[in-house]
Amino acid sequence: MKMNRSIGLVVFLALIMMIAPVFGEQSITLGTLDWEPYIGQKMENQGWVAEVVREAFKRSGYTANFQFKPWARVTYEAQKGESDGYFPEYFSEDLKKDFILSAPFAGGPLGFFKRKGEVISYTKLEDLKPYKIGVVRGYVNTADFDAAAFLNKEEAKDDITNIRKLLAKRLDLIVADKYVGIHLLQQEMPDKIGSMEFVDPVLEEKDLYLCISKKNPNHAKIIQAFNDGLAQIKADGSLANIMKRHGF
């Protein structure tokens, strides 16, 4: 009888250990967008950026839930505190007014696309004054480019809209991540593969960030949890493995 009680106690303690993390786990809601090949609703595990964010939070006891929406809506809702935050974002000092930014993780090259065969080159932004340039509404690009009021910029709701406008000769250039531009052309307009090309030099090699709204009273705690988890998956090779599985 005494032995049975001991076995029962062991089983009980084991069950407590198993369910404790579940009850202790916290949930947050983050806005994001379809931005393949980095992140997307139709991608395996929603893409490597989604996997990284999800795993980093998991390491710190958080469950990260994602809401995919148009980018302008994503940033607006996070700014107003209607979501806990959003990702992936490029760094900008202006963001610090409303958000606390995470430690960076790998991004990609940001620059211009043009129609193949057309001669457009630049060494400084002033060289691009004669051209109509497509940008995505609400995107952070680079500090110098975003502040360049002397450039002729035209906003669109997303990257694929800009690509279509470029190939229809309604724009001369578009600003996009190199891998995003190539991926979108392959997936959405395969008959147009080879019809546009990336312009050197790149505007900037960009890191990616997670932004947590300062309207969330626990913003500092949440960003620390993410940063701790991100440091863990960098250190043990999980981040590199996730990227490799997705072809990065």
Side-chain angles (χ1 to χ4, degrees):
M1 194 71 162
K2 185 176 181 181
M3 183 177 293
N4 288 339
R5 284 200 299 270
S6 298
I7 293 172
L9 180 60
V10 169
V11 172
F12 175 77
L13 291 174
L15 288 171
I16 290 294
M17 291 177 67
M18 288 173 65
I19 66 175
V22 175
F23 286 115
E25 197 167 78
Q26 302 178 71
S27 179
I28 62 168
T29 300
L30 302 170
T32 189
L33 79 167
D34 287 302
W35 195 52
E36 297 182 9
Y38 293 96
I39 184 169
Q41 297 175 81
K42 297 178 182 178
M43 300 184 71
E44 179 188 354
N45 296 329
Q46 298 180 323
W48 76 260
V49 169
E51 276 202 60
V52 164
V53 171
R54 193 180 292 116
E55 182 62 22
F57 272 120
K58 183 179 178 182
R59 296 290 182 95
S60 295
Y62 282 78
T63 296
N65 303 302
F66 305 149
Q67 295 180 340
F68 287 81
K69 298 180 180 182
W71 190 244
R73 173 59 58 178
V74 165
T75 56
Y76 174 83
E77 290 183 355
Q79 184 184 39
K80 297 299 181 183
E82 295 174 13
S83 66
D84 295 309
Y86 74 102
F87 75 101
E89 181 61 283
Y90 292 153
F91 179 85
S92 170
E93 285 290 341
D94 292 341
L95 291 170
K96 293 182 178 180
K97 177 166 64 78
D98 298 304
F99 303 100
I100 183 168
L101 276 64
S102 72
F105 50 101
L110 179 74
F112 299 104
F113 281 94
K114 65 180 180 65
R115 287 181 293 277
K116 189 169 184 177
E118 296 198 357
V119 180
I120 300 178
S121 61
Y122 78 104
T123 56
K124 56 186 184 301
L125 290 177
E126 285 78 2
D127 297 335
L128 301 178
K129 285 182 180 180
Y131 305 108
K132 184 182 286 188
I133 305 170
V135 298
V136 176
R137 187 178 302 112
Y139 275 21
V140 170
N141 297 297
T142 70
D144 288 344
F145 177 83
D146 290 341
F150 55 83
L151 292 177
N152 183 8
K153 306 172 195 174
E154 184 171 303
E155 291 186 339
K157 66 177 182 178
D158 53 29
D159 288 301
I160 190 61
T161 300
N162 273 337
I163 291 173
R164 292 191 175 107
K165 290 166 73 174
L166 175 69
L167 297 182
K169 298 186 177 181
R170 293 167 55 195
L171 297 169
D172 302 303
L173 295 166
I174 62 172
V175 180
D177 176 281
K178 182 177 182 179
Y179 303 131
V180 171
I182 293 170
H183 180 86
L184 282 173
L185 197 65
Q186 291 172 340
Q187 297 297 312
E188 303 292 335
M189 305 174 71
D191 57 315
K192 300 292 185 181
I193 290 174
S195 59
M196 72 178 194
E197 56 191 0
F198 199 68
V199 179
D200 288 324
V202 300
L203 275 171
E204 197 173 307
E205 291 285 344
K206 305 293 286 189
D207 285 327
L208 300 177
Y209 294 81
L210 172 84
C211 299
I212 298 297
S213 174
K214 288 185 176 179
K215 289 189 180 296
N216 186 315
N218 295 316
H219 60 267
K221 178 183 176 182
I222 293 170
I223 213 71
Q224 188 60 57
F226 176 78
N227 287 345
D228 289 347
L230 182 63
Q232 288 180 42
I233 64 174
K234 283 181 177 179
D236 68 14
S238 297
L239 190 150
N241 289 336
I242 290 170
M243 293 180 69
K244 186 176 180 180
R245 278 195 288 101
H246 288 271
F248 278 81

